[in-house]
Amino acid sequence: MRPSDRDIEQALIGWLPRQRWFAGKGREIAQVEIVSGTRLTGPGGPPGAEEPELRHTLVAVRQDGARDLYQLLLGFRHRLPDRLRYAEILALDGVHVYDAAHDPELTGVLLQCLAAEARVGPLSFHRVPGAQVETGLTSLASTAEQSNTSLVYGEAYIYKMFRRIVPGVNPDLELNLALTEAGCRHIPRLYGWAEMRLTDLGDRGGDRPATVGMLSEFLRTASDGWQLATTSVRDLYGSPPEVSADQAGGDFAAEAERLGVATASVHRDLAEAFGAGQVPPRALREAAARMEEQLVTACTDVPELTRYAEPIRAAYRDLAELERPVPVQRIHGDYHLGQVMRTDRGWVLLDFEGEPARTLAERRAPAHPLRDVAGMLRSFEYAAWFLLSGTPGVHHRESDPTQWALLERRAREWADRNRDAFCRGYADGGGPDPGAHRVLLRAFELDKAVYEVRYEARNRPSWLHVPLSSLTRLTA
């Protein structure tokens, strides 16, 4: 006898907060309700063997009066292999319920559905015109920290399974479709996507289906931007004191400059695909007010931020006092070194979903492209200061002030060199020159840092020192 929905819902109350992709950490779960369960055993075919079984599941989670939808792939087995024990959610009456995104025996059905452009209950699967999808490949769930779950199929595809579901087209799909049509060479090839009708579930979304997944090219020979950058920092820290950042073997500045050029190219393609406009000075005052609201909330959540509040407010006031129209367009929205890959064809940009803590409307809203630049500049700071805290032999500033001062200087040198190189490449590639828009860029960077403080406090407390350390410099 299979566990009831009620049994599974109760187990999910304890299981969900432990998942990296769950957005409601730190808040009590009032209720979990399974609102949809669709059996997946092939492209619209009848159920096969009773065990194992894969069920696409949508759950509604209530916290603090709000209701969020999350997507799960639930597996049901009478005997759970040891390799899947870590994914178990519930064991009851001889049946194991688990997160089947980690089960390669079951997830091949997603490729089958995409290849056939199947419709299964409220789910529908689509291919990009002209794209073909190979089936029969085995998946491997990515171990990278992220707000979704990615399944890598052989060396051909990567399927991003969106965990938090909202009505409408996910910006990641929306922008990738437009960039694919524009022939942009700085994104992975898009093959298809999956969506789900929410109107059948009584959800307020009109007739807009919700994006639940997308299938893209797997960049098998690519190198992760964050790993390349932090390796460069580590090389510098390990070099003799007299070796400067430009002389260290792993200097990253040339790549940072090329990344700036690629970023400007993608911004140009986005402007052509979606159009660009201008907002009046009034919009800047409204933006500064929203930044101030986030700062107040963040200071309440993270009292350590309060010491930086006044200089941050001064930067927001400078933004509000600008008296010229500002260009806006669609942008990446959550841009950092973890969202880019270095390939044999150059830099490739990933994950156009936007900041996970913001609403869909906020993520789809046009913005100044320097917001993305600010995000990448913050990421260079992260790469330098995150490794500084983990350098062997240096645990506290007081333990070895001389060594700490040397490493701190090197972190600043590395971050400045790569920030400058990226900005230079971005301007040379046709983007607005960051050096000519310092008030805008400073406000955007501080706003991003405040967001990071709140995000890290909620999701990765051990990383909180990174944005706080860089705020010391940014507000000096």
Side-chain angles (χ1 to χ4, degrees), residues 148-165:
N148 300 295
T149 297
S150 292
L151 307 180
V152 178
Y153 288 90
E155 295 186 341
Y157 311 116
I158 183 166
Y159 180 82
K160 178 188 279 189
M161 175 182 164
F162 296 108
R163 287 296 192 168
R164 193 177 184 185
I165 303 301

Side-chain angles (χ1 to χ4, degrees), residues 213-465:
M214 56 186 282
L215 187 73
S216 303
E217 167 192 11
F218 176 60
L219 304 170
R220 63 183 182 86
T221 61
S223 299
D224 176 78
W226 172 260
Q227 293 297 331
L228 289 174
T230 52
T231 297
S232 169
V233 177
R234 190 176 289 109
D235 287 347
L236 179 61
Y237 287 170
S239 299
E242 64 273 12
V243 175
S244 60
D246 62 320
Q247 297 171 330
D251 185 28
F252 190 71
E255 290 296 347
E257 186 169 352
R258 284 189 280 267
L259 178 57
V261 174
T263 304
S265 176
V266 172
H267 279 166
R268 186 165 56 252
D269 288 341
L270 286 173
E272 291 176 0
F274 292 95
Q278 286 191 330
V279 295
R282 178 184 70 254
L284 295 179
R285 294 192 291 273
E286 293 169 352
R290 289 192 297 271
M291 293 177 183
E292 169 69 19
E293 290 175 5
Q294 176 176 259
L295 176 61
V296 171
T297 302
C299 286
T300 301
D301 293 346
V302 188
E304 299 97 314
L305 181 61
T306 306
R307 60 181 294 193
Y308 307 103
E310 189 47 46
I312 293 174
R313 288 191 175 97
Y316 296 166
R317 287 195 294 270
D318 290 342
L319 176 67
E321 291 171 1
L322 289 178
E323 291 295 338
R324 63 175 184 271
V326 172
V328 294
Q329 62 166 83
R330 293 298 294 273
I331 63 172
H332 184 282
D334 187 22
Y335 200 42
H336 54 78
L337 287 163
Q339 309 283 42
V340 295
M341 303 282 280
R342 185 65 168 89
T343 72
D344 53 8
R345 66 175 188 254
W347 283 102
V348 170
L349 280 62
L350 312 171
D351 298 332
F352 289 80
E353 191 177 356
E355 291 175 344
R358 299 197 189 276
T359 66
L360 180 60
E362 289 173 326
R363 288 183 276 144
R364 295 187 71 245
H368 196 287
L370 287 181
R371 273 202 177 272
D372 278 349
V373 172
M376 188 55 68
L377 297 185
R378 294 290 313 125
S379 195
F380 287 125
E381 295 272 343
Y382 255 67
W385 291 96
F386 170 67
L387 280 180
L388 178 60
S389 66
T391 301
V394 179
H395 303 290
H396 302 284
R397 185 186 303 268
E398 296 79 10
S399 63
D400 189 338
T402 301
Q403 185 185 15
W404 181 275
L406 171 63
L407 292 174
E408 198 171 42
R409 178 179 61 77
R410 305 209 111 177
R412 178 75 273 126
E413 180 188 12
W414 187 93
D416 285 346
R417 176 169 172 76
N418 287 281
R419 286 162 60 97
D420 291 346
F422 177 83
C423 289
R424 182 168 59 250
Y426 184 74
D428 290 347
D433 184 1
H437 300 83
R438 295 188 183 278
V439 171
L440 272 173
L441 187 60
R442 177 171 169 76
F444 291 157
E445 191 173 355
L446 286 169
D447 184 51
K448 182 70 173 180
V450 171
Y451 172 89
E452 290 164 358
V453 166
R454 197 176 181 202
Y455 180 87
E456 303 300 5
R458 284 184 171 182
N459 296 280
R460 298 182 299 193
S462 63
W463 284 46
L464 180 58
H465 69 280

Side-chain angles (χ1 to χ4, degrees), residues 20-136:
R20 171 68 180 87
W21 43 261
F22 183 63
K25 294 183 181 67
R27 293 181 289 146
E28 183 179 356
I29 295 178
Q31 181 188 36
V32 172
E33 177 188 7
I34 295 176
V35 296
S36 172
T38 304
R39 198 171 185 178
L40 293 176
T41 55
E50 193 65 28
E51 189 215 1
E53 178 184 328
L54 178 67
R55 187 174 291 270
H56 179 277
T57 306
L58 203 66
V59 298
V61 180
R62 293 189 182 275
Q63 293 178 283
D64 299 335
R67 179 176 181 268
D68 292 316
L69 296 176
Y70 289 90
Q71 176 185 197
L72 305 175
L73 291 178
L74 294 184
F76 298 84
R77 286 178 178 265
H78 290 296
R79 291 175 297 278
L80 190 67
D82 289 341
R83 60 182 173 80
L84 293 173
R85 289 286 178 187
Y86 71 96
E88 186 174 71
I89 298 171
L90 170 67
L92 187 66
D93 298 329
V95 176
H96 300 270
V97 184
Y98 62 101
D99 183 2
H102 299 268
D103 190 347
E105 291 183 32
L106 300 182
T107 52
V109 69
L110 297 174
L111 287 186
Q112 296 171 22
C113 289
L114 285 161
E117 295 195 281
R119 292 182 178 271
V120 189
L123 297 168
S124 58
F125 298 82
H126 307 270
R127 280 185 283 112
V128 171
Q132 298 298 316
V133 177
E134 178 185 355
T135 60

